[in-house]
């Protein structure tokens, strides 16, 4: 059996209170000071993952005690690399053979390249299977709501990032037109120039014309508000923290928002840690790391800022082989009821499914 490790981290300083309740009484700067001085540690042991082929794997969630702000803005990049190198050393010591980088640990710096070079340890960001599930989820949701891609407009927010760029490349050929949104005008235009019937913008508000939207940025804060969305639109939010404001859930019942990248893991997995998902489900990036172990692919797979369509398609093949599949749709930490889909259909002038 091949074993894996996967790196997770707190999304905000106060998340420390989940493991250490006393932390809720301390100001954020104190918690961050403690985070900055603490080495990575084992969060939980994971077992019970069994492929439909009979192959099994187990592993560890390693907690890197750094928040997104600490990784992206507040600490020198070398300090962050040092923590991630410590994660790899801890994974080796426990017996893992491949390690996945979760959330912002896969975004910071060069997307795992430096950590892999310095440690010699196989690393993956999990972005290939994250893209696969975002594409599959968006198309499935669009179909349920009654959107015909060839007569619809696709919006991709965060289109210059590694996930957004490949999502745009895979989905744009299926849609009548595409709007790509990025922060850098020149880089965003370069993506649009690659695609047929596409235009570039740096204004999020321009997605008002889109019927189906994939949003995947490292903004770390609300980016998409009720006034940005077309009636009956479908939004697949891949970002964590999410890009879509909670106001959309409260004020736009005609819009279907789904969380991207939630996967049902085969077997009877016991993660011994809560992600806010139903039992037996995990993020797609975690699942890619598990699939590498099941495949016996003890190698770096998704690294850096580019993800090829071939890599995405290969993870789809692994998922089919081992029994990983999209979990039921979720939105703002809750299962999506049929009524939500029917409301979006009604907003598009269609009868309930």
């Amino acid at each position: 059996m091949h074993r894996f490790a996967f790196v997770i981290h707190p999304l905000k300083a106060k998340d420390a209170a989940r493991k250490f309740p006393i932390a809720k009484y301390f100001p954020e700067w104190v918690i961050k000071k403690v985070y900055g001085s603490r080495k990575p540690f084992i969060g939980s042991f994971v077992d019970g993952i069994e492929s439909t082929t009979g192959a099994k794997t187990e592993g560890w969630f390693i907690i890197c005690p750094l928040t997104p702000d600490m990784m992206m803005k507040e600490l020198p990049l070398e300090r962050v690399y040092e923590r991630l190198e410590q994660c790899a050393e801890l994974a080796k010591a426990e017996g893992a053979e491949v390690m996945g980088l979760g959330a912002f640990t896969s975004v910071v710096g060069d997307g795992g390249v430096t950590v892999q070079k310095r440690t010699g340890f196989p690393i993956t960001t999990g972005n290939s299977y994250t893209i696969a599930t975002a594409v599959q989820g968006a198309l499935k949701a669009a179909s349920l709501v009654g959107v015909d891609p060839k007569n619809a407009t696709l919006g991709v927010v965060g289109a210059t990032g590694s996930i957004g760029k490949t999502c745009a490349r895979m989905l744009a050929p299926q849609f009548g037109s595409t709007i790509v949104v990025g922060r850098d005008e020149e880089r965003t235009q370069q993506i649009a120039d690659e695609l047929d019937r596409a235009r570039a913008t740096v204004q999020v508000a321009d997605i008002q014309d889109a019927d189906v939207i994939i949003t995947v940025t490292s903004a770390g804060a609300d980016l998409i508000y009720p006034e940005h969305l077309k009636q009956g639109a479908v939004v697949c939010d891949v970002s964590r923290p999410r890009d879509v404001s909670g106001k959309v859930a409260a004020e736009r019942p005609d819009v279907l928002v789904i969380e991207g990248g939630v996967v049902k893991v085969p077997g009877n997995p016991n993660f011994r840690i809560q992600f806010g998902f139903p039992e037996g489900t995990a993020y797609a990036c975690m699942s890619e790391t598990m699939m590498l172990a099941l495949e016996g692919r003890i190698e770096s797979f998704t690294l850096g800022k580019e993800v090829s369509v071939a890599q995405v398609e290969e993870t789809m093949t692994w998922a089919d082989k081992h029994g990983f599949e999209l979990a039921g749709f979720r939105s703002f930490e809750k299962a999506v009821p049929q009524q939500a889909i029917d409301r979006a259909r009604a907003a598009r002038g269609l009868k309930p499914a």
Side-chain angles (χ1 to χ4, degrees):
M1 181 195 299
H2 297 287
R3 295 176 173 84
F4 68 92
F6 190 83
V7 180
I8 59 178
H9 64 83
L11 292 178
K12 53 186 183 298
K14 287 291 185 180
D15 283 351
R18 293 184 181 182
K19 190 171 181 64
F20 307 106
I22 196 173
K24 64 184 176 185
Y25 299 108
F26 290 95
E28 187 171 304
W29 70 268
V30 171
I31 298 171
K32 284 187 173 181
K33 191 168 183 180
V34 174
Y35 279 163
S37 64
R38 182 160 189 186
K39 290 184 176 180
F41 57 95
I42 298 296
S44 70
F45 174 68
V46 180
D47 62 1
I49 301 164
E50 182 171 358
S51 161
T52 49
T53 68
K56 297 179 182 180
T57 185
E58 59 188 26
W60 297 265
F61 285 130
I62 295 175
I63 296 179
C64 180
L66 299 176
T67 65
D69 280 349
M70 293 172 76
M71 282 185 266
M72 304 296 287
K73 301 174 185 174
E74 298 170 5
L75 294 179
L77 184 56
E78 273 302 317
R79 286 277 301 281
V80 181
Y81 281 152
E82 180 185 332
R83 286 289 181 271
L84 296 179
E85 290 169 37
Q86 290 167 347
C87 289
E89 295 304 323
L90 182 55
K92 281 184 195 176
E94 291 292 331
E97 298 161 271
V98 59
M99 185 175 84
L101 298 176
F104 281 73
T105 65
S106 69
V107 175
V108 68
D110 52 15
V113 173
T114 295
V115 178
Q116 192 281 324
K117 284 181 179 175
R118 292 183 181 179
T119 63
F121 198 58
I123 302 284
T124 192
T125 62
N127 284 350
S128 295
Y129 193 47
T130 295
I131 294 167
T133 56
V135 168
Q136 292 171 333
L139 288 175
K140 183 176 179 181
S143 175
L144 290 173
V145 169
V147 175
D148 178 5
K150 66 178 181 297
N151 295 317
T153 296
L154 169 71
V156 180
V157 182
T160 58
S162 61
I163 294 176
K165 195 185 308 179
T166 308
C167 283
R169 287 169 177 159
M170 294 185 74
L171 282 173
Q174 303 179 52
F175 280 78
S177 60
T178 298
I179 302 165
V180 291
V181 185
R183 286 184 299 184
D184 183 280
E185 191 170 354
E186 184 178 348
R187 291 173 58 210
T188 308
Q189 186 60 53
Q190 286 174 355
I191 300 300
D193 290 343
E194 285 185 30
L195 311 171
D196 292 332
R197 308 176 301 281
R199 63 184 172 93
T201 178
V202 294
Q203 303 297 327
V204 173
D206 286 347
I207 60 173
Q208 285 174 324
D209 295 331
D211 300 279
V212 177
I213 298 159
I214 288 184
T215 182
V216 52
T217 78
S218 55
D222 292 352
L223 200 64
I224 296 176
Y225 291 93
E227 61 270 23
H228 293 152
L229 299 170
K230 183 177 182 177
Q231 196 165 3
V234 171
V235 186
C236 179
D237 191 346
V238 185
S239 301
R240 297 294 180 276
R242 69 169 74 88
D243 289 336
V244 180
S245 167
K247 291 182 179 179
V248 173
E251 300 175 17
R252 293 295 304 271
D254 61 296
V255 170
L256 179 62
V257 180
I258 61 170
E259 296 173 359
V262 184
V263 174
K264 184 178 179 184
V265 177
N268 294 295
N270 187 351
F271 300 130
R272 298 181 177 84
I273 197 166
Q274 293 295 322
F275 305 109
F277 295 163
E279 196 171 327
T281 59
Y283 286 113
C285 50
M286 296 170 179
S287 300
E288 179 176 316
T289 313
M290 296 169 193
M291 290 193 291
L292 282 169
L294 288 170
E295 278 284 298
R297 294 280 294 267
I298 307 306
E299 61 189 69
S300 294
F301 185 73
T302 313
L303 271 183
K305 300 297 185 181
E306 291 288 335
V307 182
S308 71
V309 172
Q311 284 176 301
V312 177
E313 291 174 343
E314 189 166 10
T315 62
M316 290 177 175
T317 302
W318 296 344
D320 289 342
K321 175 180 175 182
H322 294 292
F324 290 77
E325 59 182 337
L326 280 180
F329 290 141
R330 295 182 66 78
S331 182
F332 296 96
E333 283 83 46
K334 295 179 182 176
V336 173
Q338 182 60 44
Q339 293 92 322
I341 295 169
D342 289 341
R343 284 196 298 269
R345 289 179 62 86
R348 303 186 70 84
L350 300 172
K351 295 179 180 177

